[in-house]
Amino acid sequence: MYDLKELERKARQAIDRKATFGDDVDLDSFDRSFVPHTYLAEEEICSIPQEEQQRLLMSGLDVTGTGRGGTYFQKDTSVVHCHSNEEGIEVMPVTEALKKHDWVKEYFWKLVPVDQDKYTASAFLDLHDGYVIRALPGSKSIYPIQACLYIDKENLQQNVHNLIIAEEGSELHIITGCATSPHMKRGVHVGISEFFVKKGARLSFTMIHNWAEEMSVRPRSVARVEEGGVFINNYICMKPVRSIQMYPTTHLVGDDATAMFYSVIVGTPGSHLDIGGRIYLKNRGCRAEIVQRSISNGAHIINRGHLIGEAPDIKAHLECKGLLLKGGIIDSIPQLEGHVEGVDMSHEAAVGKVAQEEINYLMSRGITEEEATSTIVRGFLSVDIKGLPVPLREEIDRAIDRSDKDAI
Amino acid sequence: MLIIEDLQVELAGRILLKDIDLEIRPGDTHVLFGPNGSGKTSLLMTIMGYPQYIVKKGRITFKGTDITHAPLNERAALGIGMSYQRPPTINGLKTRQMIDICAKRKVDAGEMARSLNFEDFLDRDVNAGFSGGEIKRSELLQLTAQNPDLMLFDEPESGVDIENMALIGTTIARILEKETPKGGKNAKPFVQQRSERTKMGLIITHTGYILDYVPADKGQVLLNGVLACTGNPREIFQCIGQLGYEECVKCTI
Ligand SMILES: Nc1ncnc2c1ncn2[C@@H]1O[C@H](COP(=O)(O)OP(=O)(O)OP(=O)(O)O)[C@@H](O)[C@H]1O
Ligand SMILES: [Mg+2]
């Protein structure tokens, strides 16, 4: 049941509750008040400054909408653009959707506990906006829907709440970017995301983060996947940021449900990245895979991976590889939990430097030591993500290509 | 021309090669025999420039340049290349991309791979999960793309099946310019064709199969880190087959 009073009561209780992981962010030192921005029509959105467009593009938002099935664009606390071109796919601001459609309430705060910590509590009590993206039963989107949460105002705490629903038999791809404007330094982003993948649906969600050096980021996301559903969750973060802590969780609740998490992280000096992934396999035939690739150029990176097998005949694998290029710490914490006989779970973790043997091999083919190193690093970052449409795959390759120059 | 003079090499604190003198002239291919652990791979790796093989004494000169202490990529740039016995896997780097690196430009890898029956492997990561025979073809493909003047082959035929042996043998002969000279009206005289060859080769073999495809000019036996015997490659191979390495090097052919 959707009970605002009860949610509020719980949120108030949790307002000072520290998160289990990550540095504690003093939310009181940030501003959560509304920042008005005017809504932009489709043609107006193309006339925003070039520099800003570039930032957006880096996070996967193409203002021209080329090759996109729809757009949600939020700047600070306000929605500046929102529409869908695809039949069968709805894109709406969450605050508006909650007022207009009763069904939205069925999903709001259904997976993420509002009293999990101070960040979830704050996102409830001071919600700015966020998106609802829903693929109607049986609809197939060819082009990904793009969503961007942009921060322009210094010292803002941006609170968003997203609901992503792939109805039975639908196929939905979303590319979502989070970015800050070029001048922006300090801020907080709290993002609640709840994913519902219904029977036989396929949902891919690709998130690209381009934050600023003093940004703290606390996403809280939980997914629920029904029978035969597939959820692919990709995460790319290769730019400087102060701190990110997240532990996206997926519940595979139906038979033969599948979840795949892929993350590519590059940490720069001063960054503290605590990135996890947790998948519950609750029914027969469920499959899960978590692949994490991290590079530290002087950052402190913690990779958590947690697979929980609760039913027989499930298969789950966790692969976590870290590369220390220029110092820093990579702390890899893989965890497997089998609750019944007949689970097949494994993990593979490695932390190290670029192998000299591989550098030498490439040098003997005629390239310099630097070129050899960057070739190996690029290879390390190019994770084979299964089940993505070709344009999206290329988009991810480009995002990695653009930033691996900074990485090396 | 490759000239090695009085070479002594140390690996992990142990002298592996000593008193090595070797000369490979343009157009010539040498074959290197020797028991397991005698230092054959080490000699090739030293010529290629692997830094863990420390030259304690002597000199390596290639095309008139002293390369004794030159880094790997400078030797590659001068025209030395190698087909490895046990190359590392490069995760995330497609064999197709590796071919471009070797060729120093975008090439039609598919076309190049066809003659080695290797097209299906181009979109796999370099050496990732390749079988023994597949590694040989992958290495040969890379070397073909690189097309260096001195080619070092470390057991190019071990682990290769009969059908692929012919592919590998003829490919090596072709890239070393060791194919039978062309006949016909407009062809240059055989002697001239032969004297115009510039590619140099050094091939390690245990089985000797490669001799059926590549007319090698010289054979050498490496025993306990010393080049013990030089001569006609087929004769040496026969002798090793009949008498073994130890006896063979005694009976200076
Ligand atoms: N990293 C190392 N540390 C110590 N010893 C090594 C190392 N690598 C090779 N060796 C030793 O050096 C010696 C020569 O090795 P090398 O690989 O050159 O032999 P090879 O003649 O190529 O043998 P094979 O016919 O088996 O390929 C061997 O005894 C080997 O064990
Ligand atoms: Mg060897």
Side-chain angles (χ1 to χ4, degrees):
Chain A
M1 264 313 289
Y2 176 71
D3 183 344
L4 271 185
K5 284 249 154 53
E6 177 64 7
L7 284 171
E8 182 172 343
R9 190 186 60 79
K10 284 183 165 174
R12 294 225 177 274
Q13 277 180 357
I15 199 65
D16 291 318
R17 191 169 294 158
K18 288 183 183 168
T20 316
F21 302 116
D23 311 328
D24 187 50
V25 182
D26 177 16
L27 295 179
D28 290 339
S29 66
F30 295 89
D31 186 5
R32 283 183 289 278
S33 54
F34 279 86
V35 186
H37 287 289
T38 40
Y39 189 86
L40 301 172
E42 223 172 329
E43 54 284 359
E44 289 171 315
I45 192 172
C46 293
S47 61
I48 61 173
Q50 203 60 41
E51 196 183 15
E52 211 161 284
Q53 285 194 26
Q54 213 44 46
R55 291 283 295 184
L56 293 171
L57 197 60
M58 298 251 302
S59 311
L61 188 104
D62 188 337
V63 293
T64 67
T66 318
R68 298 286 192 254
T71 301
Y72 174 88
F73 182 15
Q74 178 177 335
K75 196 166 178 178
D76 296 326
T77 63
S78 318
V79 182
V80 290
H81 191 73
C82 178
H83 85 281
S84 166
N85 300 330
E86 294 258 348
E87 192 146 347
I89 295 186
E90 299 172 338
V91 184
M92 300 173 276
V94 73
T95 47
E96 184 192 312
L98 280 167
K99 282 184 208 128
K100 278 193 187 163
H101 307 284
D102 270 343
W103 61 262
V104 178
K105 296 173 182 149
E106 300 297 314
Y107 300 98
F108 195 61
W109 290 108
K110 279 292 146 30
L111 299 178
V112 178
V114 70
D115 56 356
Q116 181 180 321
D117 53 38
K118 61 202 257 188
Y119 310 105
T120 55
S122 175
F124 176 83
L125 296 169
D126 290 308
L127 177 65
H128 295 138
D129 221 319
Y131 51 82
V132 177
I133 300 177
R134 176 180 180 224
L136 298 179
S139 68
K140 307 252 185 245
S141 75
I142 308 160
Y143 298 112
I145 307 296
Q146 59 180 354
C148 182
L149 301 159
Y150 194 74
I151 304 186
D152 179 61
K153 189 167 182 288
E154 189 68 26
N155 212 42
L156 179 76
Q157 177 188 333
Q158 183 185 53
N159 286 342
V160 300
H161 194 136
N162 309 314
L163 300 174
I164 298 96
I165 303 139
E167 297 285 0
E168 278 192 24
S170 66
E171 179 170 345
L172 175 62
H173 300 280
I174 298 172
I175 179 162
T176 167
C178 294
T180 48
S181 68
H183 59 79
M184 157 92 197
K185 288 196 176 64
R186 181 175 189 268
V188 182
H189 167 89
V190 177
I192 312 297
S193 298
E194 299 179 280
F195 300 88
F196 301 83
V197 182
K198 307 240 177 124
K199 207 167 154 185
R202 291 180 73 87
L203 169 64
S204 87
F205 184 79
T206 300
M207 183 151 81
I208 303 175
H209 275 175
N210 276 310
W211 298 109
E213 280 176 35
E214 295 296 325
M215 277 294 297
S216 295
V217 182
R218 294 293 180 271
R220 297 290 178 256
S221 67
V222 179
R224 184 174 186 278
V225 186
E226 296 177 9
E227 187 183 331
V230 177
F231 178 45
I232 303 172
N233 190 6
N234 305 313
Y235 178 63
I236 298 161
C237 176
M238 303 172 80
K239 291 283 187 229
V241 59
R242 162 68 55 236
S243 115
I244 299 181
Q245 186 273 316
M246 61 189 214
Y247 209 145
T249 299
T250 290
H251 300 270
L252 300 175
V253 298
D255 285 358
D256 304 312
T258 301
M260 293 177 262
F261 285 16
Y262 299 94
S263 68
V264 172
I265 300 158
V266 175
T268 50
S271 291
H272 197 288
L273 307 170
D274 187 329
I275 314 284
R278 182 187 285 128
I279 302 174
Y280 289 88
L281 299 94
K282 300 188 169 189
N283 249 309
R284 277 188 179 275
C286 287
R287 299 275 176 275
E289 183 177 41
I290 299 179
V291 177
Q292 298 168 326
R293 293 271 192 282
S294 306
I295 289 184
S296 165
N297 284 324
H300 187 170
I301 299 176
I302 302 175
N303 276 134
R304 299 176 201 276
H306 189 185
L307 295 168
I308 306 100
E310 299 180 351
D313 188 30
I314 60 101
K315 197 172 165 65
H317 183 68
L318 170 60
E319 180 190 306
C320 177
K321 290 190 179 161
L323 206 52
L324 288 159
L325 281 190
K326 294 188 203 103
I329 300 170
I330 296 179
D331 192 355
S332 171
I333 312 172
Q335 192 182 349
L336 302 181
E337 223 181 288
H339 288 256
V340 290
E341 278 177 40
V343 297
D344 176 359
M345 308 172 77
S346 54
H347 78 72
E348 193 186 339
V351 177
K353 60 180 170 70
V354 180
Q356 192 61 44
E357 193 196 5
E358 295 175 27
I359 296 176
N360 289 343
Y361 182 54
L362 287 171
M363 284 176 74
S364 78
R365 300 294 187 224
I367 58 177
T368 64
E369 181 159 9
E370 293 76 58
E371 287 165 339
T373 306
S374 72
T375 302
I376 294 163
V377 170
R378 195 165 306 139
F380 175 83
L381 292 176
S382 78
V383 191
D384 263 325
I385 303 173
K386 298 169 206 93
L388 285 188
V390 174
L392 195 52
R393 168 76 260 196
E394 288 171 355
E395 185 94 35
I396 292 172
D397 285 344
R398 271 197 297 277
I400 290 174
D401 255 11
R402 266 193 296 263
S403 12
D404 74 356
K405 288 168 195 79
D406 307 325
I408 305 152
Chain B
M1 181 137 79
L2 174 78
I3 303 168
I4 297 179
E5 298 160 284
D6 191 25
L7 191 71
Q8 182 173 322
V9 175
E10 185 187 289
L11 175 70
R14 206 180 106 208
I15 300 291
L16 275 187
L17 301 167
K18 51 186 179 287
D19 310 327
I20 305 281
D21 288 294
L22 180 77
E23 207 174 289
I24 303 179
R25 281 190 300 233
D28 280 3
T29 289
H30 291 205
V31 174
L32 192 59
F33 302 104
N36 294 142
S38 57
K40 302 180 298 298
T41 296
S42 306
L43 178 57
L44 264 54
M45 298 290 261
T46 307
I47 297 171
M48 191 67 243
Y50 276 73
Q52 65 267 40
Y53 296 88
I54 301 160
V55 176
K56 301 298 271 190
K57 220 172 97 182
R59 212 152 68 112
I60 307 173
T61 318
F62 183 63
K63 292 182 181 170
T65 308
D66 184 337
I67 56 162
T68 316
H69 301 288
L72 277 153
N73 56 316
E74 280 179 26
R75 299 187 201 209
L78 264 179
I80 303 179
M82 179 158 172
S83 160
Y84 293 85
Q85 185 177 12
R86 265 193 305 269
T89 297
I90 314 279
N91 286 310
L93 180 66
K94 303 281 171 242
T95 302
R96 186 186 297 283
Q97 298 170 295
M98 185 67 158
I99 303 300
D100 288 342
I101 289 176
C102 292
K104 294 208 164 324
R105 64 196 162 88
K106 276 237 163 307
V107 290
D108 186 347
E111 174 69 36
M112 222 175 257
R114 202 160 303 136
S115 61
L116 275 165
N117 193 13
F118 209 65
E119 294 137 286
D120 293 349
F121 297 86
L122 292 174
D123 290 313
R124 279 176 57 179
D125 292 356
V126 179
N127 299 326
F130 286 6
S131 75
E134 287 161 3
I135 282 182
K136 302 297 170 190
R137 278 183 284 154
S138 161
E139 285 295 302
L140 195 50
L141 181 58
Q142 293 175 43
L143 207 58
T144 307
Q146 197 178 347
N147 192 24
D149 296 323
L150 169 63
M151 305 190 194
L152 310 166
F153 294 93
D154 199 343
E155 299 189 27
E157 83 274 69
S158 57
V160 174
D161 65 49
I162 299 172
E163 280 172 40
N164 281 306
M165 183 59 232
L167 271 185
I168 283 186
T170 50
T171 306
I172 293 179
R174 177 168 52 84
I175 61 179
L176 279 174
E177 302 171 341
K178 284 294 194 184
E179 290 166 302
T180 317
K182 288 185 190 67
K185 254 207 205 116
N186 301 323
K188 295 175 188 167
F190 284 5
V191 190
Q192 193 188 341
Q193 284 190 43
R194 233 181 274 147
S195 68
E196 282 174 357
R197 290 168 173 167
T198 55
K199 298 290 182 190
M200 295 163 261
L202 182 56
I203 308 176
I204 298 176
T205 180
H206 287 295
T207 64
Y209 294 150
I210 195 68
L211 295 173
D212 298 340
Y213 300 90
V214 181
D217 301 280
K218 225 182 220 184
Q220 318 242 13
V221 181
L222 191 64
L223 196 65
N224 301 324
V226 182
L227 273 179
C229 152
T230 304
N232 177 295
R234 284 211 169 270
E235 251 179 286
I236 293 181
F237 184 62
Q238 244 172 9
C239 174
I240 295 168
Q242 285 162 14
L243 305 173
Y245 293 103
E246 297 277 352
E247 285 302 313
C248 174
V249 301
K250 278 186 207 157
C251 74
T252 31
I253 301 163

